[in-house]
Amino acid sequence: MRPLIGSNNYVKRRKAPEKTRSRSLRGTFDLATILILVFTIVPVSLQAFNIFSHSYDRLDQKYGSFTEKMRLEMLEEVKKMFYFGYDGYMKYAFPMDELDPIHCVGRGPDHENPSNININDVLGDYCLTLIDSLDTLAVLGNVSEFQRAIQLVIDHVSFDKENTVQVFEANIRLLGGLLSAHMLMEEDRFMFGDDLRPPWYNGQLLQLAHDLASRLLPAFQKSITGIPYPRVNLRKGTVDEGAETCTAGAGSLLLELGALSRLLGDPIYESMARRANRALWSARAKTTGLLGNVINAKTGQWVGRLSGLGAGLDSYFEYLLKSYILFGEEEDYQMFNESYSVIKQYLRRGRPQCNSGYGDHPLYVNVDMHSGNTYTYWIDALQASFPAVQVLIGDVEEAICTHAWYYNVWKRYGVLPERFNWQRLSPDVSFYPLRPELIESTYLLYRATRNPFYLHVGREIVQSLNTYAKAKCGYATVHDVLDMSLEDRMESFFLSETCKYLYLLFDTDNPLNNQFNKYLFTTEGHLLPIGEKMRSKPWETDVFPASATMSSLKEDESLFFRDKTPKLKTNATQPSCEAVDAARQYLLPLRTPYYLQLTESLGLKE
């Protein structure tokens, strides 16, 4: 295999030292404490705050400060961005699902072509963009519009529709949006200023969420493997004959369904989602411990052998970790921990350390799930969310390196292409649908490091979106990053995630930022409170308890992983362990020689 990236003029190449085995994080400690450690405790050396003891070069000067005036200007720009898209949707598209921002019309399901899953998987005549935007309105502190939107949802939304939708999309966008808005009104009503809960509210959003989840249940109940069918008819409960589903689609349902179960006191929804996760986990490759990207829900057999961190797998790993943070179930954390170990062993290429040593810039590639050999030479935009997961687990240095790669690909084109070939250094799939993943990682890295570099990154992203994606009445998908032509679609996640993460990046005093360890973001950017209500089960017996087939979760049966894979070692187990040097708060997070190596390899000039 040829080198991952181009020349190494700035960092000499040498043979990488053999990886040493590190022990796994063990015990039943509360991972919420990791959030506190990562975001509040930074061990420092005696010279950490003495900038004169460090080389302060041109790039450090460029990115090392971000004035209060600049921050406030960007905060106002992001607010304008959100309301331009939101107001455009409400004026031209509501109560339809999405806005076509070029022709200023609404978009719903493609009833004439049921096989058009690009549209029909997501849209179902249920005011999708409004539901997806509810908690963003709360984060922006617009209580009056939040309450008006709640009333509109109650008046207009019904899930009794003759539409076949994707379980995953309905779960993360609709169920997550409804639950988040409901819990914000019930858990901390005054968090964003005035009382979020209108006097007439009586749990109607929770009732809608319950109704929707019940309509999704047949996708689980009709599966003999435990892996849900990917699509279900909301009215009839019939499942689509196509049984092939991606790992992320089947295994990223637990946060929303689990939260609903614990709010209702009904274990069925959480149990179905856990059953799906266990079925996927049990199907991982015996030789490597990796999962593929596509599996047959009928047979439980893998259809796609690709193992990576992008499309088809991304949120599966995210939800293993976040489910542990929210619910405190040790099973979820151990599955994540062992997954992260094999990801590091088989997917990671480049020098062993992010900010020291020699070799190519670290990169996680797609591999064959059975052999661990490189499977494709492209990576995709969804993988840009993985640094956010690495921040949550405390692997901040690694997150810095992973984020830097995707940020520089963004810089190369002005937006992030859907697939980028790291050998040819060109897009394999050239569109950009306003995805939030890179922005999410930028936001979490700023919360973890407070380094102004990430404010500069956010500023560049806002400028790019305004330059290339702004259309007549909203923001449009970039159809081709090579000519910046536009496609007439504004997906709901632009308001739910892209604008939310940008706003929180620049609104440093936002109440959510001041209570960061008390809330969790779903993969759609919806807020779920972390607390005792989510940590306690109102039922005594699980519908599908963890069985003996979960052998890798048993200490005495975990021989494969103990013997053959390096265990995860993060910098979040104790405050005194190795962490990001505090000087990184003032200097470039990725040290200048490594940063220049990366930019040169991608054909960029600093």
Side-chain angles (χ1 to χ4, degrees):
M1 185 181 73
R2 57 183 280 189
L4 295 181
I5 57 178
S7 63
N8 273 332
N9 292 346
Y10 295 96
V11 182
K12 294 182 180 178
R13 189 191 309 268
R14 72 173 182 183
K15 183 177 179 181
E18 183 178 350
K19 292 184 179 178
T20 57
R21 181 173 302 172
S22 56
R23 57 185 175 83
S24 175
L25 287 175
R26 299 290 184 183
T28 58
F29 61 87
D30 186 344
L31 201 75
T33 60
I34 285 183
L35 300 180
I36 300 174
L37 293 176
V38 170
F39 292 100
T40 62
I41 301 176
V42 181
V44 298
S45 66
L46 293 176
Q47 296 184 347
F49 297 102
N50 181 5
I51 62 172
F52 299 105
S53 65
H54 298 272
S55 174
Y56 197 64
D57 57 39
R58 175 175 51 84
L59 290 181
D60 292 324
Q61 294 177 36
K62 178 180 179 180
Y63 293 111
S65 65
F66 200 87
T67 67
E68 181 68 2
K69 179 182 178 182
M70 292 166 63
R71 184 188 70 81
L72 293 174
E73 287 175 352
M74 294 315 303
L75 184 62
E76 187 62 28
E77 280 298 313
V78 176
K79 188 181 296 186
K80 289 178 182 177
M81 177 183 292
F82 171 80
Y83 283 115
F84 185 65
Y86 177 81
D87 292 343
Y89 166 76
M90 295 303 297
K91 181 177 181 179
Y92 298 108
F94 177 81
M96 299 183 76
D97 289 313
E98 285 181 352
L99 169 69
D100 287 355
I102 296 175
H103 290 99
C104 300
V105 295
R107 180 194 291 259
D110 187 351
H111 295 291
E112 296 182 359
N113 182 14
S115 64
N116 184 3
I117 60 175
N118 182 48
I119 297 297
N120 295 331
D121 271 0
V122 180
L123 310 187
D125 291 323
Y126 31 47
C127 309
L128 173 64
T129 296
L130 184 60
I131 292 177
D132 225 0
S133 303
L134 291 175
D135 59 357
T136 308
L137 289 168
V139 168
L140 267 65
N142 193 340
V143 174
S144 61
E145 183 60 21
F146 173 82
Q147 293 181 345
R148 186 178 84 93
I150 296 295
Q151 184 67 68
L152 289 172
V153 169
I154 294 170
D155 293 343
H156 289 85
V157 174
S158 168
F159 297 116
D160 184 23
K161 298 290 175 65
E162 188 66 41
N163 293 322
T164 297
V165 300
Q166 191 185 89
V167 174
F168 169 74
E169 295 290 359
N171 177 74
I172 66 169
R173 301 199 199 201
L174 296 166
L175 191 60
L178 293 168
L179 290 174
S180 177
H182 170 76
M183 295 178 76
L184 286 174
M185 286 187 284
E186 296 293 336
E187 299 292 322
D188 197 349
R189 296 159 50 181
F190 297 94
M191 177 178 174
F192 297 103
D194 295 334
D195 190 350
L196 284 174
R197 188 172 188 254
W200 44 261
Y201 183 72
N202 191 30
Q204 293 95 327
L205 296 192
L206 182 60
Q207 295 166 20
L208 279 172
H210 190 186
D211 177 60
L212 172 62
S214 297
R215 295 175 186 275
L216 300 179
L217 273 185
F220 298 85
Q221 294 168 328
K222 295 182 179 183
S223 170
I224 62 173
T225 64
I227 301 168
Y229 284 84
R231 298 173 183 87
V232 65
N233 185 284
L234 291 177
R235 176 171 289 167
K236 298 176 181 178
T238 54
V239 296
D240 187 67
E241 291 184 0
E244 293 183 3
T245 185
C246 68
T247 304
S252 305
L253 307 170
L254 183 52
L255 286 183
E256 294 83 0
L257 291 175
L260 178 65
S261 274
R262 300 196 183 207
L263 289 172
L264 297 175
D266 184 348
I268 187 63
Y269 306 102
E270 179 174 340
S271 297
M272 288 294 182
R274 287 195 177 280
R275 180 178 177 230
N277 279 6
R278 291 165 184 161
L280 290 167
W281 181 254
S282 297
R284 68 200 186 282
K286 304 305 180 186
T287 51
T288 62
L290 295 169
L291 292 90
N293 63 328
V294 181
I295 195 167
N296 188 298
K298 283 183 180 178
T299 66
Q301 299 298 309
W302 291 106
V303 179
R305 298 170 51 141
L306 182 151
S307 190
L309 300 175
L313 284 147
D314 55 333
S315 54
Y316 173 76
F317 304 115
E318 174 190 357
Y319 267 38
L320 291 179
L321 177 59
K322 290 184 175 180
S323 294
Y324 177 67
I325 296 173
L326 189 63
F327 303 123
E329 299 283 345
E330 183 71 12
E331 169 189 7
D332 301 322
Y333 179 63
Q334 291 206 30
M335 283 193 283
F336 172 82
N337 195 37
E338 295 191 359
S339 295
Y340 196 47
S341 293
V342 296
I343 286 169
K344 283 287 191 77
Q345 181 181 9
Y346 289 106
L347 275 62
R348 193 183 186 281
R349 305 288 189 267
R351 63 179 176 271
Q353 302 298 323
C354 174
N355 261 318
S356 63
Y358 302 89
D360 292 324
H361 187 88
L363 178 67
Y364 292 86
V365 304
N366 297 322
V367 303
D368 183 285
M369 65 177 291
H370 297 294
S371 67
N373 295 328
T374 302
Y375 196 75
T376 74
Y377 295 114
W378 53 261
I379 51 178
D380 66 63
L382 289 169
Q383 189 173 329
S385 66
F386 197 63
V389 176
Q390 292 177 311
V391 168
L392 288 181
I393 197 60
D395 205 356
V396 180
E397 279 279 14
E398 192 75 359
I400 287 170
C401 251
T402 311
H403 173 275
W405 173 272
Y406 287 93
Y407 164 57
N408 278 281
V409 175
W410 177 292
K411 286 188 69 173
R412 180 183 172 104
Y413 297 100
V415 294
L416 193 61
E418 188 71 355
R419 284 185 185 175
F420 181 76
N421 190 299
W422 47 263
Q423 276 214 331
R424 294 201 306 264
L425 299 181
S426 63
D428 276 359
V429 179
S430 297
F431 68 88
Y432 169 69
L434 308 174
R435 289 202 187 279
E437 283 75 16
L438 176 63
I439 303 161
E440 175 189 6
S441 293
T442 302
Y443 166 58
L444 262 73
L445 273 165
Y446 179 70
R447 298 304 307 165
T449 67
R450 300 299 197 275
N451 193 303
F453 170 80
Y454 297 106
L455 297 177
H456 285 278
V457 173
R459 183 171 180 244
E460 290 182 34
I461 290 173
V462 171
Q463 291 170 342
S464 291
L465 291 172
N466 279 328
T467 299
Y468 300 119
K470 192 171 185 179
K472 183 177 180 181
C473 53
Y475 287 80
T477 293
V478 176
H479 179 72
D480 191 335
V481 302
L482 299 179
D483 61 16
M484 289 301 177
S485 55
L486 297 180
E487 182 179 324
D488 200 5
R489 187 176 186 185
M490 186 178 80
E491 293 225 36
S492 64
F493 54 67
F494 176 71
L495 300 180
S496 172
E497 298 182 81
T498 304
C499 290
K500 181 186 285 131
Y501 288 128
L502 283 170
Y503 187 82
L504 287 170
L505 174 66
F506 293 110
D507 190 14
T508 52
D509 295 324
N510 191 279
L512 182 61
N513 286 330
N514 292 331
Q515 304 180 59
F516 191 84
N517 63 316
K518 295 182 180 180
Y519 287 85
L520 186 71
F521 291 98
T522 71
T523 198
E524 187 72 8
H526 293 307
L527 295 167
L528 298 177
I530 301 171
E532 184 59 32
K533 184 175 290 187
M534 292 294 105
R535 288 299 183 93
S536 58
K537 293 180 181 179
W539 55 88
E540 294 183 1
T541 305
D542 290 330
V543 178
F544 302 109
S547 66
T549 59
M550 296 293 292
S551 60
S552 67
L553 300 183
K554 297 178 178 294
E555 179 68 22
D556 59 343
E557 297 178 8
S558 192
L559 298 178
F560 167 76
F561 285 99
R562 285 210 310 272
D563 291 347
K564 295 188 178 181
T565 65
K567 295 302 180 181
L568 170 63
K569 180 180 180 182
T570 74
N571 59 13
T573 54
Q574 53 186 351
S576 60
C577 63
E578 181 182 359
V580 178
D581 189 336
R584 298 296 86 189
Q585 185 175 350
Y586 306 95
L587 309 177
L588 207 61
L590 181 61
R591 298 181 191 277
T592 297
Y594 300 114
Y595 187 84
L596 291 176
Q597 173 200 22
L598 176 59
T599 58
E600 183 189 75
S601 71
L602 290 170
L604 299 172
K605 298 294 183 183
E606 275 289 353

